[in-house]
Amino acid sequence: MKETKEGMWHAKMSEERYLTFALAKGRLANKTMELLEQIGITCEEMKDKSSRKLIFVNEERKLKFFLAKGPDVPTYVEYGAADIGVVGRDTILEENRHVYEVLDLGYGKCRMCVCGPESSGELLKHHEMIRVASKYPNIAKDYFYNKKHQTVDIIKLNGSVELGPIVQLSDVIVDIVETGSTLKENGLDVLEEICPLSARMIVNQVSMQMEPERIKKLISDLKKQL
Ligand code: PRP
């Protein structure tokens, strides 16, 4: 087959193109770098914890990594600013972006639950109009409206959501439960479980078509390691 100028240009571009990772900063990013290291992908620059740098490069492997706020990771991946993202399933469900979810990384395991004082359990049984506080209004809406068919008033909060029922802002909360100690220390219980959560790898839909070999190799190497 005759090599066209365009064909050669594309080949050269894909050879030199950086594969960019957006990682949810904090524990998930650290865990992800540990895992990548096990399959031979390192980024020395990233190990300097005193650095305020947000983007790191591995020149040899043509990889870039950047740290972002969790909820922004699916946004970077949908728009192609990152080819690959690692973020919690809670964020993927809440943000509902057009991305491929390709791998359950198994860490960051926790549960999305409806929680509250024991007394609120009754309100859930009888489909009463209740107030639900959450950092995840879309997940809460989907659960109550589409799964339980219960009309509720959803109040968006940005953190320390357990305060909701304590200060009578809401009857229940929809929040992440990991060890359960935050609930316990605040006199609240898990009333219903919505879904299990863990860290997931997501991929930009166009990147998947443009770089199938590199991305599929990465996924299969990670699968073997997990
Ligand atoms: C999360 C979550 C719970 C807590 C659950 O909060 O919203 O509050 O962790 O963990 P546990 O079951 O192990 O106690 P996070 O620390 O992210 O802070 P936030 O309240 O500001 O969201």
Side-chain angles (χ1 to χ4, degrees), residues 156-178:
K156 159 93 199 233
L157 288 179
N158 292 294
S160 303
V161 178
E162 289 82 1
L163 273 172
I166 300 173
V167 301
Q168 269 113 49
L169 172 74
S170 69
D171 300 292
V172 295
I173 59 172
V174 164
D175 201 18
I176 291 172
V177 179
E178 193 183 348

Side-chain angles (χ1 to χ4, degrees), residues 66-209:
F66 66 79
L67 302 173
K69 283 268 188 196
D72 295 337
V73 168
T75 313
Y76 287 113
V77 175
E78 180 182 287
Y79 282 87
D83 302 289
I84 294 170
V86 174
V87 69
R89 184 177 180 226
D90 49 316
T91 306
I92 298 171
L93 294 173
E94 182 63 24
E95 297 298 317
N96 200 20
R97 292 281 179 182
H98 293 96
V99 296
Y100 292 135
E101 188 185 313
V102 296
L103 191 60
D104 181 349
L105 295 165
Y107 44 84
K109 272 201 165 87
C110 48
R111 303 178 289 157
M112 186 63 74
C113 298
V114 181
C115 312
E118 214 185 326
S119 58
S120 289
E122 278 302 303
L123 302 173
L124 294 172
K125 278 189 205 136
H126 305 301
H127 284 215
E128 300 207 24
M129 177 74 185
I130 54 168
R131 291 211 281 197
V132 181
S134 186
K135 224 165 108 169
Y136 302 91
N138 293 326
I139 295 176
K141 202 183 288 169
D142 180 61
Y143 181 69
F144 280 101
Y145 283 56
N146 301 330
K147 301 215 170 70
K148 287 192 55 120
H149 307 290
Q150 181 171 6
T151 307
V152 297
D153 185 7
I154 292 165
I155 305 166
K156 159 93 199 233
L157 288 179
N158 292 294
S160 303
V161 178
E162 289 82 1
L163 273 172
I166 300 173
V167 301
Q168 269 113 49
L169 172 74
S170 69
D171 300 292
V172 295
I173 59 172
V174 164
D175 201 18
I176 291 172
V177 179
E178 193 183 348
T179 61
S181 54
T182 311
L183 289 180
K184 200 167 169 214
E185 285 182 34
N186 291 290
L188 305 174
D189 295 311
V190 170
L191 302 174
E192 287 175 359
E193 188 169 321
I194 300 178
C195 62
L197 304 169
S198 57
R200 304 291 161 105
M201 178 170 282
I202 55 175
V203 177
N204 170 271
Q205 296 183 341
V206 177
S207 306
M208 199 59 154
Q209 313 304 320

